[in-house]
Amino acid sequence: MSVTATHKARASPNDSIYTPQPLADYIIGMANIQSDEWVLDPCRGAGAFYDHLPSCHKAYCEITEDKDFYEWETPVDVVIGNPPYSQWNRWLEHTLNICKKRFVYLFSVLSLTPRRLKMIHDAGFGITQIYTTKVSWWMSQSIVIVAEKDKPSILQYSPNQQCPECGHMCGRGVRGNPPNVCAKPNKIDGFKV
């Protein structure tokens, strides 16, 4: 498959948004990269991360150069970058499979969901640092996380809360249903009451 075809097959127009250099530099500092570590920038873009990493062993992926992150299989110590937001679940899953020590990613505030926090936790990573920022020309607030293998997390997640009356996601508070009343239809012997 050609570079163009591969890129078009996976890209969303909002996936190629470059990180401002001052923010990338701050994120690199959060990563605490050591000179003997192998570091991967999974989506190099214009090089805001890769070109400014401290002395270390480094590699990168970039779909427009036919270096597909999903084809990277070599374990690395650190993964750092600003991933394409349209691919978060798959991207995070692949990161968790190849990362040995820690990863540092920039999430939109709406992308750091309980499901993704659970994925991180279940893979044995704890979130050890959080940084919030706002880039004025991006759509929403952003969150940078540092997630480290076998470290306690400073951020906990809670599973979805079910309706306390019926114990299910019954529709309480959605689709016009009142938030303080169970939305499960009352039934006796199969008939609605």
Side-chain angles (χ1 to χ4, degrees), residues 86-105:
S86 73
Q87 301 177 37
W88 260 121
N89 291 338
R90 185 176 179 209
W91 197 275
L92 186 56
E93 182 178 301
H94 191 62
T95 299
L96 295 169
N97 287 329
I98 63 164
C99 186
K100 296 189 301 185
K101 291 184 178 179
R102 67 190 165 284
F103 65 91
V104 185
Y105 276 158

mmCIF file of all heavy atoms in Angstrom, residues 86-105:
data_model
loop_
_atom_site.group_PDB
_atom_site.id
_atom_site.type_symbol
_atom_site.label_atom_id
_atom_site.label_comp_id
_atom_site.label_asym_id
_atom_site.label_seq_id
_atom_site.Cartn_x
_atom_site.Cartn_y
_atom_site.Cartn_z
ATOM 1 N N SER A 86 -8.420 10.593 16.824
ATOM 2 C CA SER A 86 -9.466 9.724 16.277
ATOM 3 C C SER A 86 -9.153 8.246 16.482
ATOM 4 O O SER A 86 -9.992 7.400 16.231
ATOM 5 C CB SER A 86 -9.662 9.998 14.783
ATOM 6 O OG SER A 86 -8.572 9.483 14.037
ATOM 7 N N GLN A 87 -7.950 7.950 16.965
ATOM 8 C CA GLN A 87 -7.534 6.553 17.093
ATOM 9 C C GLN A 87 -7.157 6.173 18.521
ATOM 10 O O GLN A 87 -6.422 5.219 18.751
ATOM 11 C CB GLN A 87 -6.326 6.303 16.173
ATOM 12 C CG GLN A 87 -6.628 6.583 14.730
ATOM 13 C CD GLN A 87 -5.416 6.398 13.857
ATOM 14 O OE1 GLN A 87 -4.611 5.505 14.079
ATOM 15 N NE2 GLN A 87 -5.282 7.239 12.862
ATOM 16 N N TRP A 88 -7.653 6.901 19.500
ATOM 17 C CA TRP A 88 -7.177 6.748 20.869
ATOM 18 C C TRP A 88 -7.188 5.314 21.395
ATOM 19 O O TRP A 88 -6.191 4.865 21.962
ATOM 20 C CB TRP A 88 -7.956 7.638 21.836
ATOM 21 C CG TRP A 88 -7.188 8.887 22.173
ATOM 22 C CD1 TRP A 88 -7.595 10.163 21.956
ATOM 23 C CD2 TRP A 88 -5.888 8.980 22.752
ATOM 24 N NE1 TRP A 88 -6.627 11.044 22.372
ATOM 25 C CE2 TRP A 88 -5.555 10.336 22.865
ATOM 26 C CE3 TRP A 88 -4.949 8.052 23.180
ATOM 27 C CZ2 TRP A 88 -4.358 10.796 23.394
ATOM 28 C CZ3 TRP A 88 -3.743 8.509 23.713
ATOM 29 C CH2 TRP A 88 -3.473 9.857 23.810
ATOM 30 N N ASN A 89 -8.280 4.600 21.276
ATOM 31 C CA ASN A 89 -8.333 3.266 21.879
ATOM 32 C C ASN A 89 -7.287 2.346 21.290
ATOM 33 O O ASN A 89 -6.531 1.693 22.020
ATOM 34 C CB ASN A 89 -9.726 2.650 21.729
ATOM 35 C CG ASN A 89 -10.749 3.359 22.582
ATOM 36 O OD1 ASN A 89 -10.418 4.012 23.567
ATOM 37 N ND2 ASN A 89 -11.992 3.256 22.191
ATOM 38 N N ARG A 90 -7.219 2.265 19.990
ATOM 39 C CA ARG A 90 -6.238 1.396 19.325
ATOM 40 C C ARG A 90 -4.810 1.875 19.624
ATOM 41 O O ARG A 90 -3.913 1.077 19.870
ATOM 42 C CB ARG A 90 -6.512 1.372 17.823
ATOM 43 C CG ARG A 90 -5.625 0.420 17.072
ATOM 44 C CD ARG A 90 -6.000 0.360 15.618
ATOM 45 N NE ARG A 90 -5.110 -0.554 14.922
ATOM 46 C CZ ARG A 90 -4.795 -0.435 13.658
ATOM 47 N NH1 ARG A 90 -5.294 0.532 12.920
ATOM 48 N NH2 ARG A 90 -3.970 -1.293 13.094
ATOM 49 N N TRP A 91 -4.612 3.188 19.587
ATOM 50 C CA TRP A 91 -3.288 3.772 19.825
ATOM 51 C C TRP A 91 -2.802 3.455 21.240
ATOM 52 O O TRP A 91 -1.667 3.035 21.451
ATOM 53 C CB TRP A 91 -3.362 5.281 19.616
ATOM 54 C CG TRP A 91 -2.036 5.931 19.445
ATOM 55 C CD1 TRP A 91 -1.192 6.356 20.425
ATOM 56 C CD2 TRP A 91 -1.391 6.208 18.204
ATOM 57 N NE1 TRP A 91 -0.071 6.893 19.882
ATOM 58 C CE2 TRP A 91 -0.168 6.818 18.511
ATOM 59 C CE3 TRP A 91 -1.750 6.011 16.875
ATOM 60 C CZ2 TRP A 91 0.722 7.236 17.528
ATOM 61 C CZ3 TRP A 91 -0.866 6.435 15.900
ATOM 62 C CH2 TRP A 91 0.358 7.032 16.226
ATOM 63 N N LEU A 92 -3.677 3.646 22.202
ATOM 64 C CA LEU A 92 -3.326 3.391 23.590
ATOM 65 C C LEU A 92 -3.040 1.906 23.808
ATOM 66 O O LEU A 92 -2.071 1.549 24.485
ATOM 67 C CB LEU A 92 -4.437 3.874 24.513
ATOM 68 C CG LEU A 92 -4.175 3.813 26.009
ATOM 69 C CD1 LEU A 92 -2.916 4.580 26.395
ATOM 70 C CD2 LEU A 92 -5.393 4.370 26.760
ATOM 71 N N GLU A 93 -3.849 1.046 23.234
ATOM 72 C CA GLU A 93 -3.633 -0.398 23.352
ATOM 73 C C GLU A 93 -2.258 -0.790 22.806
ATOM 74 O O GLU A 93 -1.525 -1.546 23.445
ATOM 75 C CB GLU A 93 -4.730 -1.140 22.586
ATOM 76 C CG GLU A 93 -4.632 -2.652 22.686
ATOM 77 C CD GLU A 93 -5.773 -3.320 21.942
ATOM 78 O OE1 GLU A 93 -6.932 -3.055 22.295
ATOM 79 O OE2 GLU A 93 -5.480 -4.094 21.015
ATOM 80 N N HIS A 94 -1.883 -0.251 21.657
ATOM 81 C CA HIS A 94 -0.571 -0.578 21.084
ATOM 82 C C HIS A 94 0.561 -0.012 21.948
ATOM 83 O O HIS A 94 1.574 -0.684 22.173
ATOM 84 C CB HIS A 94 -0.459 -0.074 19.635
ATOM 85 C CG HIS A 94 0.746 -0.595 18.928
ATOM 86 N ND1 HIS A 94 0.951 -1.931 18.705
ATOM 87 C CD2 HIS A 94 1.832 0.043 18.438
ATOM 88 C CE1 HIS A 94 2.112 -2.104 18.088
ATOM 89 N NE2 HIS A 94 2.668 -0.912 17.918
ATOM 90 N N THR A 95 0.369 1.187 22.461
ATOM 91 C CA THR A 95 1.372 1.786 23.357
ATOM 92 C C THR A 95 1.599 0.886 24.564
ATOM 93 O O THR A 95 2.746 0.612 24.945
ATOM 94 C CB THR A 95 0.909 3.186 23.819
ATOM 95 O OG1 THR A 95 0.769 4.032 22.682
ATOM 96 C CG2 THR A 95 1.888 3.787 24.813
ATOM 97 N N LEU A 96 0.524 0.425 25.170
ATOM 98 C CA LEU A 96 0.627 -0.413 26.365
ATOM 99 C C LEU A 96 1.329 -1.738 26.070
ATOM 100 O O LEU A 96 1.967 -2.314 26.955
ATOM 101 C CB LEU A 96 -0.764 -0.657 26.952
ATOM 102 C CG LEU A 96 -1.468 0.602 27.472
ATOM 103 C CD1 LEU A 96 -2.926 0.309 27.784
ATOM 104 C CD2 LEU A 96 -0.749 1.196 28.667
ATOM 105 N N ASN A 97 1.266 -2.198 24.827
ATOM 106 C CA ASN A 97 1.932 -3.448 24.439
ATOM 107 C C ASN A 97 3.430 -3.295 24.217
ATOM 108 O O ASN A 97 4.178 -4.255 24.391
ATOM 109 C CB ASN A 97 1.288 -4.032 23.177
ATOM 110 C CG ASN A 97 -0.064 -4.630 23.455
ATOM 111 O OD1 ASN A 97 -0.324 -5.129 24.549
ATOM 112 N ND2 ASN A 97 -0.941 -4.568 22.481
ATOM 113 N N ILE A 98 3.888 -2.110 23.812
ATOM 114 C CA ILE A 98 5.317 -1.964 23.478
ATOM 115 C C ILE A 98 6.110 -1.173 24.512
ATOM 116 O O ILE A 98 7.333 -1.171 24.484
ATOM 117 C CB ILE A 98 5.509 -1.299 22.093
ATOM 118 C CG1 ILE A 98 4.937 0.122 22.081
ATOM 119 C CG2 ILE A 98 4.922 -2.166 20.985
ATOM 120 C CD1 ILE A 98 5.402 0.972 20.923
ATOM 121 N N CYS A 99 5.433 -0.505 25.430
ATOM 122 C CA CYS A 99 6.110 0.369 26.386
ATOM 123 C C CYS A 99 6.516 -0.407 27.638
ATOM 124 O O CYS A 99 5.672 -1.016 28.288
ATOM 125 C CB CYS A 99 5.188 1.530 26.743
ATOM 126 S SG CYS A 99 5.979 2.773 27.776
ATOM 127 N N LYS A 100 7.796 -0.324 27.991
ATOM 128 C CA LYS A 100 8.299 -1.052 29.159
ATOM 129 C C LYS A 100 8.304 -0.228 30.444
ATOM 130 O O LYS A 100 8.163 -0.783 31.524
ATOM 131 C CB LYS A 100 9.723 -1.548 28.895
ATOM 132 C CG LYS A 100 9.836 -2.558 27.769
ATOM 133 C CD LYS A 100 11.210 -3.191 27.689
ATOM 134 C CE LYS A 100 12.311 -2.180 27.490
ATOM 135 N NZ LYS A 100 13.641 -2.777 27.297
ATOM 136 N N LYS A 101 8.531 1.086 30.350
ATOM 137 C CA LYS A 101 8.678 1.892 31.559
ATOM 138 C C LYS A 101 7.616 2.975 31.736
ATOM 139 O O LYS A 101 6.972 3.044 32.769
ATOM 140 C CB LYS A 101 10.060 2.556 31.584
ATOM 141 C CG LYS A 101 11.209 1.598 31.786
ATOM 142 C CD LYS A 101 12.514 2.380 31.899
ATOM 143 C CE LYS A 101 13.700 1.474 32.141
ATOM 144 N NZ LYS A 101 14.951 2.268 32.217
ATOM 145 N N ARG A 102 7.481 3.862 30.749
ATOM 146 C CA ARG A 102 6.531 4.956 30.901
ATOM 147 C C ARG A 102 6.173 5.548 29.530
ATOM 148 O O ARG A 102 6.930 5.443 28.585
ATOM 149 C CB ARG A 102 7.060 6.050 31.825
ATOM 150 C CG ARG A 102 8.236 6.818 31.324
ATOM 151 C CD ARG A 102 8.839 7.709 32.427
ATOM 152 N NE ARG A 102 10.150 8.175 32.042
ATOM 153 C CZ ARG A 102 11.256 7.437 32.051
ATOM 154 N NH1 ARG A 102 11.222 6.186 32.454
ATOM 155 N NH2 ARG A 102 12.410 7.939 31.677
ATOM 156 N N PHE A 103 4.999 6.154 29.511
ATOM 157 C CA PHE A 103 4.617 6.915 28.325
ATOM 158 C C PHE A 103 4.087 8.266 28.771
ATOM 159 O O PHE A 103 3.568 8.427 29.884
ATOM 160 C CB PHE A 103 3.625 6.160 27.431
ATOM 161 C CG PHE A 103 2.279 5.886 28.034
ATOM 162 C CD1 PHE A 103 1.237 6.773 27.867
ATOM 163 C CD2 PHE A 103 2.054 4.714 28.745
ATOM 164 C CE1 PHE A 103 -0.010 6.515 28.413
ATOM 165 C CE2 PHE A 103 0.808 4.443 29.290
ATOM 166 C CZ PHE A 103 -0.229 5.347 29.124
ATOM 167 N N VAL A 104 4.262 9.244 27.892
ATOM 168 C CA VAL A 104 3.829 10.610 28.161
ATOM 169 C C VAL A 104 3.039 11.065 26.941
ATOM 170 O O VAL A 104 3.589 11.177 25.851
ATOM 171 C CB VAL A 104 5.034 11.549 28.400
ATOM 172 C CG1 VAL A 104 4.550 12.941 28.797
ATOM 173 C CG2 VAL A 104 5.976 10.979 29.452
ATOM 174 N N TYR A 105 1.741 11.282 27.137
ATOM 175 C CA TYR A 105 0.858 11.641 26.038
ATOM 176 C C TYR A 105 0.044 12.880 26.361
ATOM 177 O O TYR A 105 -0.308 13.131 27.514
ATOM 178 C CB TYR A 105 -0.116 10.501 25.732
ATOM 179 C CG TYR A 105 0.421 9.418 24.818
ATOM 180 C CD1 TYR A 105 -0.154 8.164 24.825
ATOM 181 C CD2 TYR A 105 1.473 9.640 23.940
ATOM 182 C CE1 TYR A 105 0.292 7.156 23.984
ATOM 183 C CE2 TYR A 105 1.940 8.638 23.098
ATOM 184 C CZ TYR A 105 1.342 7.401 23.126
ATOM 185 O OH TYR A 105 1.793 6.409 22.288
#
